[in-house]
Each structure stands twice: as C-alpha cells, then as structure tokens.
Amino acid sequence: MTTRRHSIPEENQIVVKNTHQAIISQETFDTAHELMRSRKKNYTKVKIHIFTNVLYCSDCGTGMWYRQNRTGYICGSYARHGKIACTQRTIKEKDLKETILSDIKKMAQVINDKEYLNTLAEETLKKQKQVAQLLNNIENEIKASKGKKKRYLEMLAEKQITHEEYREVADDNQERINELNIKRSGLEASLRHDEFLGRIEKLRNPISSFLPLHEVTEEILHHFVERIEVDNHGIPMITYRFSISPS
C-alpha cells in the first residue's frame, strides 16, 4: 500500500455535485464572485501623461495622477486613499499647457529684445561698479583694522598697555573684521553681470530651436521645466530650468 497521490486527468474525474452541505449558499458565492470581478474590471490604473513625474501636490509631495474624466490631474495620495491622506485638488492639463506656453513665449520675447537687454546690461554694469567701490572700501577698512591690532600687539610687547587692554581692543577689532568679511561675501555674490549675460545666451539657443511655439511637447517640457507643484486652490507653481533675472 502506498500513500503517494496520483494526478487523475480531468476527463477521467467523476464529479458528483451537492453531496455535502455547503458552508455558504450558491447565491452568496455567485454574488461575491461577481463583486470581485466588477472591482477588478473597474480598477483605474495610473495613466502616463505629459506631466507625469513633473507635477506634484504641494502639500504631501506626491505625484499627481491624470484622470480622463477630469481631463486633468489630481493628487496621487488623495486618489489612492481619499481625504485621510490629502486634500482634493485638480488642475486641467489644457490650462497648465497654456500657462507654460505663455511663460516660454514671454522669455523668448525678452531674450530677443536687444533694446531691453542693453538697458538691463547697462544697469547691471552700473551696479557692478558701485559694488566694486564698496568692496574696495571694505578691503581698506579690514587692512586698517589688522594694522591697528598689530600696533596694539607691539604696545603690549613693550608693556605700554596691559594684557586686558590689548584683549579688549583685539576682540573689538576681530568682531569688526568678521562683520566686514560677511558684508564682503554678500557683495561679491551680487556681482552677476557676466553670469547674467551667459544665462541669456544659454537660454536663447534652445528657445530659438523651438520657435515658433505652438504647443507644449514632452521635449519642450524636458528642456524648460524642472518641477511643478499645485496648491490646494489648483494654482501651479512652476520652477523653470532657466532664469532671465540678473539677480
């Protein structure tokens, strides 16, 4: 006698229905089975659209999902878990495209306006000269403070002043030097003339390659848009890859 089980082909199996009492009724089984089928059939998967992986909810940071019935996007957390996860917000794909297209056209207009750019460059150069003068004054004051500290050190060595008197002057001088160094760093960071002109040139070439602009494509989106966040009022906050600001 063996305890091994043998598989019997389905065509050779003998099935006798309703020989044992059922745990649940056939009606309940059929209803549950139909419900499972309907849920599986109606499950909506995330559809990939042009703003997928670019568009995010500003509150929870989740990517927004496209919905055909809204012709736009909703928060992914809200779509998956409802109000317990995030607030409801929507944005139309058409409106978002129009906003981006308008912004890029404005940038294209600005970078090709030679009169405006010349005026802006002159103002930036004027500011650069003013900052350079302030930096020169700061350098002179730092040099004078260091010289004063050195003189007091010599006086201390010659015992003309006490160590306490030297320390007081030295500490005051060092504090002033630190303040001047911080101010100098800020002024140096404001010298953006050459960087600004470089950004304009860097932006002009890719924009010119897409002219005339008629619609927002995936290629345009990749070139110009870094990230988009949508607030709870459905207003987009767009971070572009390029800036035309001189500051």
Side-chain angles (χ1 to χ4, degrees):
M1 182 177 179
T2 179
T3 57
R4 293 183 61 186
R5 295 185 178 184
H6 299 277
S7 177
I8 300 175
E10 186 175 351
E11 61 270 16
N12 295 332
Q13 295 177 11
I14 300 174
V15 179
V16 181
K17 296 183 178 181
N18 301 321
T19 58
H20 299 282
Q21 183 178 359
I23 298 175
I24 61 173
S25 67
Q26 186 67 40
E27 182 181 0
T28 302
F29 174 82
D30 292 340
T31 302
H33 190 65
E34 185 61 32
L35 181 59
M36 291 172 63
R37 287 180 57 191
S38 65
R39 285 181 177 177
K40 184 176 181 181
K41 181 179 179 180
N42 295 330
Y43 177 74
T44 305
K45 294 183 179 180
V46 181
K47 294 185 177 180
I48 305 299
H49 271 253
I50 185 171
F51 293 106
T52 301
N53 299 325
V54 178
L55 191 63
Y56 296 88
C57 169
S58 65
D59 284 347
C60 69
T62 302
M64 299 189 68
W65 294 2
Y66 183 82
R67 285 293 183 265
Q68 188 69 41
N69 61 336
R70 296 174 183 263
T71 60
Y73 299 79
I74 64 173
C75 170
S77 290
Y78 178 84
R80 185 183 294 272
H81 304 293
K83 293 181 180 179
I84 194 173
C86 197
T87 56
Q88 183 179 13
R89 70 197 61 208
T90 61
I91 186 167
K92 297 290 186 182
E93 187 171 85
K94 178 176 178 291
D95 295 340
L96 195 52
K97 284 183 176 181
E98 289 177 352
T99 299
I100 293 174
L101 195 62
S102 175
D103 287 346
I104 296 177
K105 284 182 177 179
K106 288 177 183 177
M107 284 192 284
Q109 184 177 3
V110 167
I111 64 175
N112 288 293
D113 187 339
K114 293 183 179 180
E115 184 177 352
Y116 169 77
L117 290 179
N118 287 338
T119 301
L120 198 57
E122 290 175 2
E123 292 176 354
T124 306
L125 186 58
K126 182 179 178 180
K127 178 182 176 182
Q128 184 187 33
K129 291 179 179 180
Q130 293 173 344
V131 170
Q133 182 59 51
L134 290 173
L135 283 171
N136 185 62
N137 294 341
I138 288 175
E139 290 291 345
N140 290 335
E141 188 174 349
I142 289 176
K143 188 180 295 184
S145 294
K146 289 180 177 179
K148 184 178 181 180
K149 183 177 179 180
K150 182 179 180 181
R151 287 196 304 271
Y152 270 79
L153 182 60
E154 292 171 351
M155 292 172 67
L156 175 64
E158 296 173 0
K159 297 183 179 180
Q160 298 178 15
I161 59 174
T162 65
H163 187 274
E164 289 74 16
E165 289 173 327
Y166 167 75
R167 178 50 55 194
E168 182 179 355
V169 172
D171 288 347
D172 288 344
N173 266 22
Q174 190 58 49
E175 184 177 352
R176 180 55 180 165
I177 289 173
N178 291 340
E179 292 175 356
L180 291 170
N181 280 328
I182 292 173
K183 189 175 182 180
R184 178 174 61 183
S185 296
L187 289 171
E188 287 174 345
S190 70
L191 294 176
R192 303 290 188 185
H193 179 68
D194 292 337
E195 292 181 15
F196 163 66
L197 294 179
R199 289 200 305 270
I200 291 294
E201 287 301 322
K202 187 177 180 180
L203 182 57
R204 180 182 286 113
N205 293 332
I207 282 189
S208 299
S209 67
F210 289 112
L211 293 176
L213 293 168
H214 298 298
E215 63 175 337
V216 176
T217 63
E218 289 187 10
E219 188 177 8
I220 288 177
L221 195 66
H222 172 75
H223 270 81
F224 299 112
V225 178
E226 180 74 30
R227 181 184 176 94
I228 306 171
E229 294 188 357
V230 181
D231 67 15
N232 56 357
H233 299 293
I235 299 174
M237 296 167 285
I238 306 171
T239 302
Y240 290 99
R241 295 185 184 276
F242 300 99
S243 172
I244 57 173
S245 172
S247 57

